[in-house]
Amino acid sequence: MEARILPACPVETTLTLISNKWKVLIIRDLLPGTKRFGELKKSIGSVSQKVLTAQLRQMEESGLLTRTVYPEVPPRVEYTLTELGQSLRPVLDALKNWGEEYKAKMSGE
């Protein structure tokens, strides 16, 4: 993990590591297990290849996922959440539950 100065506030630290919707969606899609780059791009949807690559690199540097390159032609690259990345599951579960409750309340008005 890179030596970076993290905020004193734990909430801000978490937000720094999952700072945008792409990272949250990458974590969501890797929680069930390993995926290849193309599978991630397809499951996330509207993200560009350049942005997805940048987000994956940042997450690897932060220790949230591992990138495995297989010496094949063409090369096969797989991404897997680390134990640290997997530990974000309750955070994403809470976001999902809140979103479901919000949508239910707003559609019921």
Side-chain angles (χ1 to χ4, degrees), residues 54-73:
Q55 300 305 304
L56 289 165
R57 284 188 182 144
Q58 289 173 11
M59 294 172 72
E60 184 180 15
E61 289 171 9
S62 298
L64 298 178
L65 58 80
T66 57
R67 177 179 183 263
T68 306
V69 181
Y70 295 91
E72 300 172 356
V73 178

Side-chain angles (χ1 to χ4, degrees), residues 28-30 32-40 43 77-80:
R28 175 201 68 187
D29 290 353
L30 289 178
T34 300
K35 282 198 170 38
R36 294 173 70 169
F37 184 88
E39 293 174 308
L40 279 172
S43 65
V77 181
E78 293 182 342
Y79 296 90
T80 307

Side-chain angles (χ1 to χ4, degrees), residues 97-109:
N97 292 340
W98 189 91
E100 287 172 348
E101 289 175 21
Y102 177 80
K103 285 170 75 173
K105 285 180 182 173
M106 294 310 283
S107 64
E109 289 186 352

Side-chain angles (χ1 to χ4, degrees), residues 2-4 11-12 15 21 27 31 36 40 51 53 60 65 68 71 73 81-84 88 98 101-102 107:
E2 68 183 33
R4 98 166 69 154
V11 172
E12 193 176 350
L15 289 173
K21 74 174 184 177
I27 293 166
L31 279 170
R36 294 173 70 169
L40 279 172
V51 169
T53 298
E60 184 180 15
L65 58 80
T68 306
V73 178
L81 287 178
T82 61
E83 189 175 326
L84 188 60
L88 285 164
W98 189 91
E101 289 175 21
Y102 177 80
S107 64

